[in-house]
Amino acid sequence: MSRDERNQERREESWDTGEDRVGEQDDYRVVGKNERRVDALKLALGRGTYTDDLALEGTLHLKLLWSPHAHAHIVSIDTSAAERVPGVVLILHHGNVPRIPYTTAGQGHPEPSPYDQFVFPRKVRFVGDRVACVAAETERAAARAVQLIDVEYELLEPVFDPRRAIEPGAPVIHDEPEAAGLPDYDKKRNIAAQMNVTHGDIDAELDRADLVLERSYEVPYQHHACLEPHVALTWLDEDHRLVVRVATQVPFHSRRILARILRIPLRRIRVVKPRIGGGFGAKQEILLEDLPALVTLRTGRPARLMLSRSEEIVSSRTRHPQLLRWKSAVTKEGRILAQELDVLANTGAYGAHALTVQTCTAGKTLPLYRANAYRFLMKTVYTNLPVAGAFRGYGGPQGFVALECHMDELAEKLGIDPLEFRRMNVIGPGHDNALAQALGEGKEGPPQKIRSCEVLECIERGQEAIGWDRRASLDRSGVVKRGIGMSCLMHGSGIPGVDMGSARVKLNEDGSFNLHVGATDIGTGSDTILSQIAAETLCVALDKVVIYSSDTDHTPFDTGAYASSTTFISGMAVKKSCLGVVRQLIEAAAEMWRSRGEPVSTDELWVEQGNVRRPEGSPLSFSDICLSTFYTHDQHQIMDHGSHMSFECPPPFSADFAEVEVDTETGAVRVLKYVAAVDCGVAIHPASAEGQTEGGAGMSMGYALSEHFVFDDTGRVLNDTFRDYKQFTALDMPHFETILIRSFEPAGPFGAKSVSEIPTDGPGPTIANAVANAIGIRFRELPLTPEKIRRAWIDHRTNVEELVK
Amino acid sequence: MYLSLEHYERPSTVEECLRLLHHPDEEAAILAGGTELNVRGHEALERVVDIQGLGIDRLRVDRGEVRIGAGTTLARIAEHRGLAEPPMAALREAALAFANVAIQNRSTMGGRIMIDRPDQDLPPALAVLGARLRLAHFDRAEERVREVEIDYPTRDGARAALEGALLLEVIIPVDGTDASALRRMGRSAVDAPLATVAVAIRGDRVRVAANMQGSTADSLRLLEKTEALASAWLSRRPEGWRDEARASLAAELEAYGDDWASGEYRRDLGTTLGVRALAVLFGEEELS
Amino acid sequence: MKIELRVNDRDVSWDCEPHEFLTEVLRRNGLTGTKRGCESGDCGACAVMLDGREAPSCIVLAAQAAGHEITTIESIGSFEAPHAIQEAFVDRTAIQCGYCTPGMVIAAKALIDRNPAPSEREVRRHLAGHVCRCTGHVKPVAAVLEAARGMEGES
C-alpha cells in the first residue's frame, strides 16, 4: 500500500470526527515541518498593520481620568473647565452613560465571572479605576482636559490585604445592588468566588499517612507586558454600522458584550481583529472598546483609545496574587495518599475570572500526582488594588509554585531523590483526572482520562540535558554557589465541553484555498499552524492556503485565543472543513470523469499534491476542478465549513530544569541554563512550539525573580513604567534548551495538544528549587529578589553559627 | 507627553543659549539627549533649549587630560579608544551601565550630571577620578557670559554652583591615575543601580565614592575613612583586608531605603560592591 | 513648525509641533513600522536609526531630529529583497506577535553596521533594551548572530 493510500485510508476512517487513528509523523508533508510562518516576512519588514496603524480622517482621540483614590464615592463631577479646552468634543462619565452591570472577562455566554462592573462606576475601587473619558481632536487636548475635570470624592476606608478583606467589619467593596455572581457569590464578605471540593476520604488518608506536610506559599502580581498596549479604533461604516477595530483575543465575545452594554443590536456591530501585538490573556478582557464605541455612536466620528504603558500596568489586568497552603499525606516509601490545596486569591477591585483562574490553579496541579483523596478550598477576594484577570497559565504558574516546591520539600523529608519521588507518583496514560468533573468551567466538567502522556520521557531527557547527576557535586564552597532544580508540569488544551472553533474553506481557480477561521492569531502562530493543518489535509503546499482570521462579519465563530485551545480546538475545525472539501473535490472529479464517459467510483479516488487521482489515467488538478465547477459543468462552489468542540482536554506535560548561580553576598540569582522537555503531542510547527516554550518560560523567569508590583500605602502602583517594572531581558535570559517529546494525542488534529501556557508554569518552582539546592534555603514567596535572598542568607548563617556554638 | 510645550529653540552659541534659558516669562529647560527631560516631569514646561548646536560634544584625550564635552553621549564615551585603559575603567563601566544601548546613544554626559538623581553610576566614577566641570554662567549685571571651573561636587551644598549654569565640559586628569573600577547592581541586567561604588588609585591615594540610590539619599558620598585605609594598603595589604574594608564601608555608608530596596540591604550591598571594587584595584579580581 | 531632515535617504520637510515626538511624526507620515510601546525609551518598539545609531524615537522630539538622518524599518529590505537580518528573523522563527520585530531589526542593523562580527554577549546587550514578551529573546539572539555570520560571508 502506498503512502498516499495509507493517508487516504486514514482520512476515510476519520471522515466524521476528524480524529486520527494512527499517527506516523513521517507521513506528514506540511505538519511537523518548520515552514516559514505565513505572516513572518511582513512583520520583519514592519508592514504588519496593527490596530493603531490605520489612521482615519476626523478621528477623535480619547483619554481617561483614572481614580487617584483606592476607595471613594464620586460625589460630583464638574467637566465645565475641561469642556472649554479647545478641541474637546465629548466627555463621558457615570452621569451620562447607561448603567448596565457586566464583566470585562471576555468569556463565553453565560460568563462564569461576576457582573460587578459598569462602563463608569459611581464608586471608585482602586487607584486607576475609570472615572471619566474625554474625546478631543487631539490626544494632547484630551490629556489637558482630563486634568481639568473636577471630581469631588468622599473617601472610604480601603482594604488591601485579602486576609483582612474577608474579616468581619472589613469595608465592603461591592455594595451596589446590581452586582451579581455565581451562587456562591458573597459580596458582603468581599468574596467574588469560592469553592470547596473533596474527592475521596481525605481525613482517613491523613490519619494513616506516615508523613503529613503543610506549607504556605505566596505569589505576587504580574503585568502581562504585551508590547502593544490595549488599543481600539471605532467608526461607522457606510451602512451606519459600528466597526470596532481592536487589539483583542476574543472578537466574538467583544461583539456580544458590546451589543449588551451599548444597547445596540449585535448585527449592527462588526469587530475586526487586525494584527495583535501580544495578548497573554490581557486582551481577553473587553477592556476599552466600549468607550470609543460610545463616542462614535454619539458623535458619528471615528474614535481611538490607546493606553499608555503606565495605564496598561495599573488599569488593565494582572495575574491574580495568591496565598496558597499545600498539605499532603505520604507513606514513608514515598507514595502520595492525599493532597489538599487551600487558595486565597486577590482579584483586586473587580472579579474578572475570579472563579475560573483559581479552579485552574487546582485543576492543573492537583491531578498531576496520583492520590487517593484530594481537597480544594478556595476563596477569591475583592481588595482595593489593581484588577486581576486572565493571564497566560491561568492559575497554573501560581499553583505550580506551591505544588512543585512542596514536592521537593516532601522528597527531602523522605530522603528520596526529587526526580524519583515524582516518577513514583506522576499520572500516566490510562489514568483518570480525578478532579476534572468537580472543577468545570463554572459548572460540572466532563470526565477526563489521560490518553497521551510522555512525562517520564520528559523527565529522562531533561535530566540528561541539565546534567542532573552533577547536582550533588556542584561546587558550593565559594561566595557564589550553584544549584540545579526541576519541576513537573501539566496543563490543558481548551475548555472541555465549552470552547468551540469553526472554519470555512473554499476552492479558487488556481487550486488555492481561502481558509476563514474565527481563531485569533495574537502572535502565537495560529495563522500558520491552522494553514498547515489545512494544507496537510488538502494535500497541497502551504502557500496554496490563504488564511483570513477573526472578523465577525467575514469569518465563522470561534471562542477566541485563550485556554490553550486554538491548535487543539480550532485546528480540528479546520481539519474537518478541509476533509469536507476533499470529499467534494473527489465527488466533483468523479462527476467530471463520468461526464466525459470515464466513469470511476469515488471510493477509488484520492487527493495528492493538488490533484485528484484515480488508479489509472491522468489526474485532475484542483485548478481544473474549480474551473469546471465554476464555469462549465455542475456549477457550484466547492466549499465546506466545520466546527469543533471537545469534551476532552488532553494535558500537555513538561519537565523543566534550571541551573542557577546564587551570589550569597549580594543575593543575586543568575539563571545559567534552563531546559524544558515538553510533551505537546505532535508539534504542528516545531520551531513555533519551541518559541512558545522559550517565551512562556522567559515571562515566568521574571515572575520568579524580579516581577512584582510595588505599592505605596494608598494602594498606588509605584513601579508603573518599564524602567521600574523589571522583566527578563536578552541579557538576563539563560542558555535555553527546548526538547520536544513527541506523543500522539488521538483527540487532537494530527496528534497535537496545546503548548502555549504550560511553559509559564515552570520557572517559578524550578528556580526556587534550584536556589534551595544551591544555598540550602527554601523560599516560599516570589519573586526571589536579591534582598530577600541576602536577608535569608544572613539569617541562615547566623543560625548555623549559633548551632556550631 | 508635553502638555504645555510651545517653544523649541536650538541656539548655536553658548551666549544665545544662556539668554534663552533666562527667558523672563517662561520657564525654560536645557534639552540634551532628552532621555530624562523627554520622559517625565515636564508637563508644565513651555520652552526647551536644545544644546545640540553648541558644538560641545567633543571628546579629546591629550596632554594628560580627558576633556569630554557636555553633549557627548554615553555610547561615545564607552567606545572611545582613549578611555579603554585601566585608569578610566570606572568611567567606561558607568557609561555602559546606564539603561540600554539606544538610550546610551542619546544620553549625554552633561545630562547625567545636571539632573542630580541618586540612582546613577556616573557621579561616583567622576568623583573618584577627580573630574572638574567647566561651566558657563550668564552674568545679568554685566550682560556677558562667564566661564568657571569647579571640582566635581561631592559635598553637601556643592551642587549649588551648578544652579542656572550651562555645563560645557568635564575635565578628567589622566596623569597620576593608575587604575579605577566600578561595581554596581540593579534588579535585573538593565536597571538603575540599587547601589554603585567606584574606586580609583590616584597617586598614592585610593579614592572611594558611593552612590547610594534611594529617593531620600544624598546623591554622592566620598568615603574618606575607607579611602585612608585602602590608601595604606597600597604598599602592604593585611590578610584580612576584606573584612576591615567591609567594616569600614558599612560604618561610612548610610542606609537609604526606598521603594525598591531597604536601606539596610542597600548598605550591605554597597559594602560588598565596595570590597569587590577594591579587589579589582588590588588586582585580586577581574576588571569586569 | 517646519523641520527639514533626511528620512530613508530622502530629504523631507515636515510640519510638526514642538511637543511632538519623532515616533508620532514618522507614523503620521505613513511610516507606521515604528511602534509605540512604553513612551520612556525602555522597550525598543520605536527604535529608528539616527545618524546610523539606534535611537528611541518615542523620547526624541521631532524637532531634535531636524538636520539629522533617520532610517526606519521601511527602508530596510522589501518583500522582493528582504535584508539578511530580516531573512534570519523569518528563517529562525524569531517573530511571534511581531510588534517588537522592527525595533529589533533596527538594533541589529545598527550593531552589525558598526561591528560585523558581534559576540553573543554583544548581541544580547544590543537587544536588551527591546522588550519581547513572546520569544524569550532566544530566537531573536540566534537570528542576529546568524545574520551577522551570513553577511560576513558575503562581504
Side-chain angles (χ1 to χ4, degrees):
Chain A
M1 199 190 279
S2 78
R3 190 170 68 183
D4 295 298
E5 282 168 318
R6 279 214 314 275
N7 276 344
Q8 192 54 35
E9 185 179 76
R10 187 174 71 228
R11 293 210 170 88
E12 285 174 18
E13 271 188 313
S14 54
W15 216 238
D16 297 319
T17 61
E19 241 188 47
D20 282 300
R21 302 284 156 78
V22 290
E24 294 297 322
Q25 192 176 16
D26 298 342
D27 275 335
Y28 301 147
R29 291 165 188 278
V30 187
V31 159
K33 306 287 185 288
N34 287 328
E35 300 270 0
R36 280 193 154 212
R37 281 168 65 147
V38 297
D39 42 16
L41 183 56
K42 76 174 177 200
L43 297 170
L45 296 170
R47 308 292 208 280
T49 50
Y50 299 80
T51 301
D52 202 41
D53 295 341
L54 177 69
L56 296 177
E57 192 120 342
T59 296
L60 291 172
H61 299 266
L62 276 53
K63 278 278 174 196
L64 276 123
L65 173 64
W66 308 100
S67 170
H69 303 297
H71 201 188
H73 282 298
I74 297 172
V75 177
S76 65
I77 298 183
D78 180 355
T79 58
S80 51
E83 281 160 25
R84 285 195 293 271
V85 172
V88 169
V89 171
L90 179 65
I91 301 178
L92 299 172
H93 51 79
H94 76 77
N96 59 16
V97 301
R99 185 173 164 86
I100 300 167
Y102 75 112
T103 174
T104 60
Q107 298 163 300
H109 171 80
E111 301 97 332
S113 290
Y115 278 21
D116 56 9
Q117 284 202 257
F118 306 93
V119 170
F120 287 105
R122 287 181 196 147
K123 182 173 102 163
V124 290
R125 295 178 173 85
F126 73 108
V127 178
D129 206 349
R130 284 181 177 190
V131 175
C133 174
V134 177
E137 301 291 345
T138 66
E139 210 168 342
R140 190 179 187 223
R144 283 171 151 175
V146 159
Q147 294 191 321
L148 296 174
I149 297 175
D150 190 10
V151 184
E152 188 188 336
Y153 297 97
E154 177 198 334
L155 299 191
L156 301 167
E157 185 196 344
V159 56
F160 301 128
D161 184 338
R163 285 163 290 214
R164 159 98 179 95
I166 44 174
E167 282 173 4
V172 176
I173 294 171
H174 285 277
D175 46 5
E176 67 279 19
E178 301 99 320
L182 292 164
D184 284 337
Y185 189 57
D186 188 354
K187 61 186 175 186
K188 289 198 185 69
R189 295 175 58 212
N190 291 322
I191 292 174
Q194 54 188 326
M195 199 168 226
N196 184 342
V197 171
T198 305
H199 175 89
D201 189 345
I202 188 142
D203 295 321
E205 299 294 338
L206 288 167
D207 276 350
R208 77 183 178 100
D210 295 317
L211 171 67
V212 173
L213 186 71
E214 184 174 333
R215 291 283 184 268
S216 294
Y217 306 86
E218 188 170 349
V219 288
Y221 270 105
Q222 187 181 20
H223 169 52
H224 296 77
C226 319
L227 197 50
E228 175 200 41
H230 279 85
V231 53
L233 175 66
T234 58
W235 67 93
L236 293 175
D237 69 10
E238 69 267 33
D239 295 314
H240 208 58
R241 291 172 72 230
L242 178 70
V243 184
V244 181
R245 178 180 166 98
V246 55
T248 182
Q249 297 172 225
V250 289
F252 290 90
H253 296 338
S254 176
R255 179 179 65 168
R256 187 187 84 241
I257 291 162
L258 282 178
R260 194 172 146 260
I261 60 179
L262 301 175
R263 288 184 167 146
I264 62 172
L266 184 138
R267 62 186 173 278
R268 241 195 99 193
I269 304 173
R270 172 183 174 196
V271 176
V272 180
K273 176 220 76 115
R275 190 72 208 171
I276 305 295
F280 315 116
K283 290 173 184 166
Q284 190 183 342
E285 303 281 330
I286 313 305
L287 193 79
L288 50 54
E289 51 266 50
D290 53 320
L291 295 173
L294 274 167
V295 169
T296 291
L297 289 172
R298 292 200 186 175
T299 63
R301 295 177 59 178
R304 165 187 173 273
L305 173 58
M306 184 174 195
L307 296 189
S308 71
R309 180 53 52 186
S310 166
E311 292 169 331
E312 185 72 21
I313 291 176
V314 175
S315 299
S316 72
R317 295 293 177 259
T318 62
R319 195 184 288 295
H320 289 83
Q322 291 181 355
L323 297 154
L324 308 100
R325 187 178 56 77
W326 200 289
K327 184 172 172 180
S328 52
V330 289
T331 66
K332 57 181 182 299
E333 294 78 23
R335 164 107 172 77
I336 297 174
L337 300 173
Q339 302 245 49
E340 179 180 294
L341 169 62
D342 186 351
V343 173
L344 181 64
N346 175 7
T347 190
Y350 299 98
H353 301 267
L355 172 72
T356 41
V357 163
Q358 274 57 239
T359 54
C360 282
T361 296
K364 306 303 176 212
T365 56
L366 281 170
L368 180 57
Y369 301 105
R370 282 167 289 130
N372 300 329
Y374 302 92
R375 179 148 57 203
F376 173 50
L377 306 164
M378 179 277 279
K379 285 188 177 64
T380 306
V381 176
Y382 289 121
T383 63
N384 295 109
L385 288 176
V387 184
F391 194 147
R392 187 178 188 182
Y394 208 72
Q398 295 98 315
F400 279 103
V401 167
L403 171 61
E404 288 301 287
C405 287
H406 195 81
M407 288 295 284
D408 261 29
E409 292 187 69
L410 275 173
E412 196 184 328
K413 289 247 182 244
L414 292 164
I416 305 176
D417 176 74
L419 279 189
E420 187 48 37
F421 180 51
R422 286 177 173 87
R423 278 199 202 97
M424 286 168 66
N425 291 286
V426 75
I427 197 170
H431 293 140
D432 290 321
N433 177 340
L435 287 166
Q437 282 171 278
L439 299 175
E441 179 85 347
K443 58 184 181 188
E444 184 161 291
Q448 300 293 325
K449 192 183 277 297
I450 306 297
R451 297 214 261 175
S452 61
C453 173
E454 293 293 342
V455 66
L456 293 176
E457 179 77 8
C458 295
I459 294 174
E460 188 75 32
R461 296 279 303 282
Q463 173 185 6
E464 279 165 29
I466 199 77
W468 183 261
D469 297 344
R470 296 180 296 125
R471 195 167 183 259
S473 55
L474 289 170
D475 181 14
R476 300 193 181 91
S477 58
V479 163
V480 178
K481 299 178 192 303
R482 284 199 179 192
I484 292 177
M486 67 87 59
S487 59
C488 280
L489 314 164
M490 68 181 260
H491 216 89
S493 302
I495 307 172
V498 175
D499 283 347
M500 189 274 275
S502 56
R504 181 173 57 220
V505 183
K506 67 184 179 70
L507 174 66
N508 299 319
E509 290 110 311
D510 62 348
S512 69
F513 296 89
N514 291 110
L515 170 62
H516 292 172
V517 294
T520 303
D521 193 331
I522 53 173
T524 53
S526 69
D527 280 354
T528 300
I529 284 159
L530 298 178
S531 299
Q532 281 179 284
I533 290 172
E536 185 69 43
T537 314
L538 295 162
C539 289
V540 294
L542 184 62
D543 66 0
K544 287 288 173 64
V545 178
V546 181
I547 190 163
Y548 182 73
S549 57
S550 48
D551 173 328
T552 57
D553 267 14
H554 297 293
T555 71
F557 177 83
D558 193 288
T559 34
Y562 58 88
S564 289
S565 63
T566 305
T567 299
F568 179 71
I569 297 287
S570 314
M572 197 60 107
V574 169
K575 193 175 174 196
K576 283 180 181 174
S577 27
C578 292
L579 286 171
V581 166
V582 168
R583 188 161 38 187
Q584 292 179 29
L585 282 162
I586 285 175
E587 280 163 6
E591 174 56 30
M592 284 169 72
W593 278 314
R594 263 195 296 277
S595 71
R596 296 176 193 170
E598 304 167 29
V600 287
S601 153
T602 53
D603 295 345
E604 303 176 282
L605 307 181
W606 71 94
V607 294
E608 185 185 329
Q609 289 178 343
N611 292 287
V612 175
R613 292 187 176 275
R614 49 186 168 169
E616 281 167 28
S618 57
L620 275 172
S621 72
F622 292 175
S623 171
D624 290 339
I625 295 170
C626 188
L627 287 166
S628 170
T629 54
F630 273 11
Y631 303 111
T632 53
H633 181 71
D634 185 26
Q635 282 91 330
H636 69 289
Q637 166 78 63
I638 290 182
M639 171 168 79
D640 204 356
H641 62 88
S643 301
H644 189 69
M645 190 285 301
S646 178
F647 287 110
E648 293 190 59
C649 175
F653 295 90
S654 185
D656 283 18
F657 295 80
E659 179 168 354
V660 303
E661 205 173 70
V662 184
D663 185 332
T664 55
E665 281 186 348
T666 63
V669 175
R670 235 162 66 85
V671 186
L672 302 173
K673 181 168 181 177
Y674 199 91
V675 176
V678 192
D679 159 18
C680 61
V682 172
I684 305 285
H685 191 283
S688 292
E690 287 170 18
Q692 286 283 316
T693 305
E694 293 151 2
M699 159 182 266
S700 283
M701 286 186 209
Y703 188 56
L705 292 174
S706 57
E707 294 184 38
H708 61 143
F709 281 13
V710 181
F711 294 102
D712 70 8
D713 56 11
T714 70
R716 192 167 66 89
V717 180
L718 296 170
N719 53 339
D720 62 346
T721 64
F722 272 164
R723 200 158 285 192
D724 291 325
Y725 183 83
K726 302 318 297 183
Q727 308 168 56
F728 256 45
T729 71
L731 278 171
D732 298 283
M733 274 304 280
H735 175 71
F736 202 104
E737 191 174 337
T738 304
I739 304 171
L740 297 177
I741 307 287
R742 190 175 168 278
S743 68
F744 189 88
E745 173 49 50
F750 299 106
K753 300 189 277 191
S754 85
V755 73
S756 58
E757 292 187 275
I758 189 165
T760 61
D761 293 336
T766 306
I767 291 171
N769 287 341
V771 168
N773 178 241
I775 61 171
I777 302 172
R778 165 59 54 189
F779 290 90
R780 300 190 185 86
E781 186 195 334
L782 298 189
L784 305 179
T785 60
E787 175 160 3
K788 243 181 245 175
I789 289 181
R790 174 64 179 160
R791 273 173 191 277
W793 176 255
I794 291 171
D795 292 347
H796 173 76
R797 212 179 39 188
T798 313
N799 292 341
V800 171
E801 277 166 12
E802 275 171 14
L803 278 176
V804 171
K805 279 178 204 161
Chain B
M1 192 181 289
Y2 279 99
L3 291 184
S4 312
L5 186 68
E6 298 295 346
H7 305 282
Y8 167 89
E9 320 267 5
R10 193 191 288 187
S12 51
T13 67
V14 168
E15 176 163 357
E16 188 190 352
C17 176
L18 284 166
R19 281 181 192 277
L20 287 166
L21 284 172
H22 294 97
H23 193 279
D25 307 325
E26 289 159 355
E27 194 198 345
I30 300 175
L31 174 61
T35 57
E36 203 67 36
L37 188 69
N38 287 347
V39 176
R40 56 189 142 198
H42 51 237
E43 273 72 12
L45 203 58
E46 294 174 8
R47 181 179 292 269
V48 292
V49 181
D50 186 341
I51 59 163
Q52 66 170 286
L54 303 184
I56 55 169
D57 55 358
R58 277 186 284 273
L59 199 171
R60 286 169 296 158
V61 185
D62 61 2
R63 279 173 298 195
E65 278 183 346
V66 182
R67 300 180 85 92
I68 304 173
T72 309
T73 63
L74 300 186
R76 286 192 48 223
I77 293 167
E79 286 165 7
H80 200 279
R81 281 169 205 273
L83 304 180
E85 301 299 316
M88 292 297 123
L91 181 65
R92 191 168 170 276
E93 291 274 327
L96 282 171
F98 184 58
N100 58 54
V101 168
I103 286 188
Q104 287 161 21
N105 286 336
R106 298 294 302 165
S107 180
T108 64
M109 172 64 106
R112 289 291 107 205
I113 292 170
M114 295 304 282
I115 58 169
D116 191 25
R117 276 173 53 133
D119 56 342
Q120 296 200 82
D121 302 300
L122 263 178
L126 293 170
V128 297
L129 292 171
R132 297 192 311 281
L133 307 180
R134 192 160 65 84
L135 306 167
H137 286 275
F138 189 74
D139 191 321
R140 199 165 288 286
E142 297 185 26
E143 282 278 309
R144 70 184 188 93
V145 172
R146 279 177 192 283
E147 288 187 17
V148 293
E149 222 173 90
I150 61 164
D151 286 340
Y152 193 83
T154 57
R155 284 169 202 292
D156 294 345
R159 289 191 65 92
L162 302 180
E163 284 286 312
L166 175 67
L167 177 63
L168 299 174
E169 194 171 45
V170 178
I171 304 153
I172 305 172
V174 182
D175 290 352
T177 301
D178 295 333
S180 69
L182 179 138
R183 282 291 181 269
R184 51 100 68 194
M185 196 179 105
R187 292 161 295 172
S188 74
V190 177
D191 192 17
L194 289 172
T196 308
V197 180
V199 296
I201 302 175
R202 296 182 54 220
D204 56 358
R205 288 202 58 195
V206 173
R207 308 305 313 261
V208 182
N211 204 355
M212 306 309 295
Q213 189 227 359
S215 42
T216 55
D218 293 339
S219 63
L220 186 60
R221 183 69 52 92
L222 279 169
L223 308 177
E224 289 165 1
K225 295 197 177 95
T226 307
E227 286 183 341
L229 271 178
S231 301
W233 294 337
L234 280 178
S235 45
R236 205 180 62 81
R237 248 180 350 271
E239 189 103 323
W241 74 265
R242 284 173 186 251
D243 290 336
E244 272 186 64
R246 181 170 277 282
S248 171
L249 285 159
E252 277 194 281
L253 290 168
E254 284 184 48
Y256 290 111
D258 71 355
D259 302 326
W260 318 139
S262 71
E264 197 187 339
Y265 171 70
R266 200 172 253 124
R267 176 163 58 188
D268 180 61
L269 181 63
T271 60
T272 295
L273 297 175
V275 172
R276 289 182 181 180
L278 287 169
V280 175
L281 278 194
F282 298 149
E284 293 184 18
E285 275 189 28
E286 294 281 312
L287 199 55
S288 63
Chain C
M1 63 188 291
K2 260 282 194 261
I3 53 170
E4 316 268 332
L5 65 167
R6 197 166 167 80
V7 178
N8 297 337
D9 296 322
R10 210 164 50 86
D11 290 320
V12 298
S13 173
W14 282 344
D15 285 317
C16 75
E17 304 276 330
H19 62 86
E20 284 187 301
F21 287 109
L22 183 57
T23 311
E24 298 315 308
V25 177
L26 289 170
R27 290 177 60 81
R28 188 165 66 228
N29 284 281
L31 300 171
T32 55
T34 302
K35 305 298 181 197
R36 303 206 297 183
C38 75
E39 308 104 56
S40 61
D42 294 305
C43 83
C46 68
V48 297
M49 278 159 72
L50 193 153
D51 297 340
R53 284 178 185 266
E54 182 191 356
S57 69
C58 74
I59 56 166
V60 174
L61 288 177
Q64 276 180 289
H68 294 277
E69 191 168 328
I70 304 294
T71 306
T72 72
I73 188 69
E74 283 82 359
S75 76
I76 300 176
S78 63
F79 278 103
E80 296 76 22
H83 189 278
I85 296 167
Q86 292 163 324
E87 291 272 19
F89 268 74
V90 173
D91 290 342
R92 281 277 179 166
T93 317
I95 302 169
Q96 292 190 28
C97 84
Y99 202 79
C100 72
T101 309
M104 287 214 199
V105 170
I106 291 278
K109 177 143 194 329
L111 166 64
I112 295 173
D113 282 355
R114 303 178 83 81
N115 178 4
S119 65
E120 179 176 336
R121 169 91 195 161
E122 269 298 281
V123 171
R124 283 175 180 252
R125 196 173 87 78
H126 281 258
L127 294 186
H130 293 258
V131 171
C132 172
R133 211 48 159 170
C134 297
T135 65
H137 306 96
V138 178
K139 296 195 189 304
V141 169
V144 176
L145 284 168
E146 181 177 286
R149 277 195 300 270
M151 289 161 71
E152 210 176 21
E154 279 165 27
S155 58

